[in-house]
Amino acid sequence: MLRRCPPASFVLLAAGALLVAGLAGCATPPPADDPDAVADFRQTNDPLEPTNRVFYKINDGLDTVIMQPVARGYRAVVPSPVRTGIHNFLDNLGGPVRLTDDTLQGKPRRAGDTAMRFLINSTVGVVGIFDVAKEVGYAAHDSDFNLTLANWGVPDGPFLYLPILGPSSPRAAAGLVADKVIDPFTWIGRNTSGDGFTIATWTKTVVSALDTRADLLDVVDSIKKTALDPYATFRSLYRQNRAGKLEKLRADNRATIPIWWPQAAKMGESASSQSPATR
């Protein structure tokens, strides 16, 4: 009887399958005497493009046959308020992972926001179904170990299109493994030998995938209908999305004390009254 792989192992197997296949399917660099082509090749940073496109077609086929119809049915049958509640619940389950990443990124205010969101939504928000924390000033933000590594200066590496998982990179794949290890749901209910997914993990994984796919139905449909090269478009959008999240992370240098706290105003007045020579 086959043993089910834990989440981290699954990601490693997927990445390994792509890399092994990539040995036989690397993009051929342009000749050195064509500087424009060379510059474009380096900017694209997709040396495994032939293999990546094969996996994109496989994933697209599976999506067309399975995920897209199921997501459409889910959106058609489940009322919008219920879908929002499910999305909020899933987002709340990710609180411990985001809190760990916020802390490792050296962002105490973001970590504090995450902790407060998890506390408020888990209680007043009825285990996260209602996003009460947002209404009282604790807005959500994205955080994962991919961003943690990026904030530490780890390069993204070449573009990868992983089986099942979709757009990625070596750094993103490593970050996904780390987040799965951090996630309490990876370990809740597992036996002492640590084999396999638990029912909780399977349920969370499937429902999360369905929630994400239903949310992206219109966007994905539009890209497939209008883009001359959907693969290149998805690659570009993925990188823009990750770059935007990293920019927001690095720009968030809020003081640990909330701006509305009385001491914060006093600290600001004290700092502004000092001359450059005394600072």
Side-chain angles (χ1 to χ4, degrees):
M1 183 176 181
L2 294 176
R3 294 165 57 185
R4 296 171 181 170
C5 297
S9 299
F10 174 78
V11 177
L12 291 175
L13 287 174
L18 177 59
L19 295 176
V20 170
L23 295 176
C26 296
T28 303
D33 58 359
D34 189 346
D36 291 336
V38 171
D40 183 67
F41 181 82
R42 290 176 178 173
Q43 183 177 7
T44 302
N45 196 17
D46 190 0
L48 297 177
E49 183 171 349
T51 302
N52 284 335
R53 285 183 178 273
V54 170
F55 283 119
Y56 165 74
K57 290 181 179 179
I58 294 174
N59 284 10
D60 184 56
L62 293 173
D63 177 73
T64 301
V65 174
I66 302 174
M67 285 303 299
Q68 185 185 86
V70 174
R72 289 192 186 281
Y74 171 73
R75 195 163 72 171
V77 173
V78 181
S80 178
V82 177
R83 296 200 308 271
T84 299
I86 293 173
H87 175 82
N88 291 342
F89 174 74
L90 292 170
D91 181 78
N92 192 58
L93 290 180
V97 176
R98 278 193 298 274
L99 177 59
T100 302
D101 285 316
D102 289 338
T103 303
L104 292 174
Q105 291 158 10
K107 300 292 183 178
R109 277 299 300 280
R110 286 167 70 96
D113 288 349
T114 298
M116 290 302 297
R117 282 184 56 80
F118 186 71
L119 176 63
I120 294 171
N121 288 343
S122 296
T123 53
V124 183
V126 191
V127 298
I129 295 176
F130 303 101
D131 193 356
V132 180
K134 180 180 179 181
E135 303 301 324
V136 296
Y138 295 100
H141 63 264
D142 290 310
S143 186
D144 53 41
F145 204 77
N146 183 6
L147 289 174
T148 301
L149 292 173
N151 198 49
W152 291 348
V154 178
D156 196 23
F159 180 75
L160 299 177
Y161 203 97
L162 298 178
I164 307 298
L165 301 176
S168 187
S169 68
R171 188 183 69 200
L176 182 58
V177 172
D179 281 336
K180 287 298 182 183
V181 172
I182 296 170
D183 191 351
F185 259 82
T186 303
W187 312 105
I188 291 175
R190 297 183 67 177
N191 56 36
T192 55
S193 63
D195 293 338
F197 284 175
T198 65
I199 294 178
T201 304
W202 275 113
T203 302
K204 180 188 175 187
T205 301
V206 171
V207 176
S208 295
L210 181 59
D211 172 70
T212 301
R213 187 63 185 91
D215 189 52
L216 295 175
L217 274 172
D218 297 333
V219 175
V220 173
D221 286 350
S222 177
I223 292 174
K224 289 183 178 181
K225 290 178 181 178
T226 61
L228 296 177
D229 184 357
Y231 168 82
T233 301
F234 285 125
R235 178 180 61 197
S236 177
L237 290 175
Y238 168 77
R239 284 174 166 166
Q240 290 177 37
N241 179 264
R242 297 308 306 186
K245 291 180 179 180
L246 180 58
E247 183 178 355
K248 287 182 180 180
L249 168 65
R250 289 177 171 170
D252 190 350
N253 295 312
R254 293 173 294 165
T256 303
I257 299 178
I259 193 65
W260 45 263
W261 200 261
Q263 285 85 338
K266 293 179 181 179
M267 290 175 62
E269 292 174 1
S270 175
S272 61
S273 64
Q274 292 179 341
S275 65
T278 59
R279 290 182 185 175

